[in-house]
Amino acid sequence: MLELAPELLGRVRRGTPFVTATVTGVAGSAPRQPGSSLVVDADGAVLGNVSGGCVDAAVHEACQEMLAGDHAPQTLRFGYSDADAIGVGLTCGGTIELLLRHHDPAAGPAAERELGPALADAADGRAVAVATVVHGPDAHLGRTIVVRPGRPPQGSLGDELLDRVAEARAADLLHAGQTGTVEVGVADSYCREPMTLLVESSAPPPRMLVFGAIDHAAALARLGTFLGYRTTVCDARATFATPERFPDAEVVVDWPHRYLQAQADAGLLDARTVVCVLTHDPRFDLPLLTAALRMPVAYVGAMGSHRTHEERLARLRDAGLTSGELDRLHSPIGLDLGARTPHETALSIAAEIVAHRHGGTGAPLSTGVPIHRSAPPAGALALSS
């Protein structure tokens, strides 16, 4: 739902009722991940999708029925040739589960009054997470709690202990910029019956820090911005690091390791941050990589030949880095695309970053690797930052 925040915010402010159908679980090959939503409002408008087309018509019909009839939350399940999939299945062979909720901003309960501010935060790029009970007792189903950094939560899932647990789990996923489900079990003494919470996170864009004001950096900055990163190009040489050369990025003139450490000290890096070192100069590379490989960022890559990489590793070992820290280094940076131009090289770097982020292999899809990958379970996320 938060992915459609700008559009939904207008409906909330106008008091227009709407129904959200949100993906809460996937199995096998499924086109959309948890948090993806299709919305139908009382005026007949449709936003988003949950399947790329193959079951959206059936979901749209179910949303219309909810608008006209029973407003209680309900779940739907669609699978390939699945008798429970109300006669419609996913052509890709996977399974998706959905939660349908009716929202009436003008006449709803307190939870509806909290929806507008949460959508406004998401639309404005402020960090916010919404945790919703998507499986569990009917008395809790569809209840939500809104979590923001450094502020008390809003809303309730219907139980004080459950609220505290949901706040902690939602804060973890928000910190990592992740949307996903978390299981709350009886064995954990959090609730009397097992529950599943969908945590939808909306966080400021992840950072891409590109060090080295070269042509490859300009091409990579353009791709990084296209992929949704807040991109920065940093170089100590003011002659080369100019806004005119890098119109797609913030440009900083500073020693790379000093800038990186200052950003970390200010709390401006997180577990989604990617660091790309394109400087080709040991004076810059070594202190920069020494700092970066000890930070809980998502990705650290460095440009250079295989020989340069081996020499760099030796110097980093001499600087005290451990084998575990050195294993985090992607060098030579990028995937083997046979790239020759700066733009092709930037594409190979961006492809490696995407593959690393989502657990891709970089192999051709024709070899039989999965086309759609499930998001990692929330408990498996590295939340060390």
Side-chain angles (χ1 to χ4, degrees), residues 44-265:
V46 180
L47 300 170
N49 70 87
V50 294
S51 72
C54 48
V55 302
D56 286 346
V59 176
H60 175 257
E61 182 178 349
C63 290
Q64 288 183 311
E65 292 175 357
M66 179 172 281
L67 277 168
D70 186 1
H71 295 167
Q74 61 177 277
T75 59
L76 292 178
R77 180 177 179 274
F78 294 88
Y80 183 70
S81 299
D82 191 336
D84 296 329
I86 62 174
V88 181
L90 292 177
T91 57
C92 55
T95 301
I96 62 171
E97 296 182 353
L98 306 169
L99 176 68
L100 271 63
R101 288 173 289 172
H102 182 273
H103 304 272
D104 188 344
E112 294 299 319
R113 295 195 295 272
E114 292 147 6
L115 178 61
L119 292 172
D121 285 341
D124 291 341
R126 294 187 292 269
V128 63
V130 178
T132 305
V133 179
V134 296
H135 288 295
D138 289 344
H140 295 275
L141 189 66
R143 285 178 173 264
T144 63
I145 186 170
V146 180
V147 176
R148 299 174 177 87
R151 294 171 56 183
Q154 292 183 299
S156 175
L157 303 182
D159 179 89
E160 183 178 353
L161 178 57
L162 182 60
D163 287 347
R164 293 201 298 269
V165 173
E167 179 186 3
R169 299 288 181 85
D172 282 347
L173 266 72
L174 179 58
H175 183 62
Q178 296 281 349
T179 289
T181 56
V182 294
E183 305 296 328
V184 180
V186 177
D188 301 317
S189 300
Y190 295 150
C191 54
R192 294 181 181 85
E193 298 182 51
M195 291 189 193
T196 302
L197 309 180
L198 172 66
V199 179
E200 299 175 77
S201 296
S202 179
R207 304 284 305 277
M208 175 182 283
L209 305 180
V210 182
F211 295 95
I214 62 176
D215 289 346
H216 297 77
L220 182 57
R222 187 172 299 116
L223 273 178
T225 300
F226 175 76
L227 291 173
Y229 286 92
R230 174 190 160 195
T231 308
T232 302
V233 174
C234 176
D235 198 300
R237 303 167 297 175
T239 301
F240 298 100
T242 65
E244 292 76 19
R245 294 190 67 207
F246 304 98
D248 300 291
E250 170 193 27
V251 179
V252 174
V253 178
D254 199 352
W255 279 81
H257 72 283
R258 185 167 61 191
Y259 174 73
L260 180 68
Q261 191 62 58
Q263 293 294 291
D265 292 344

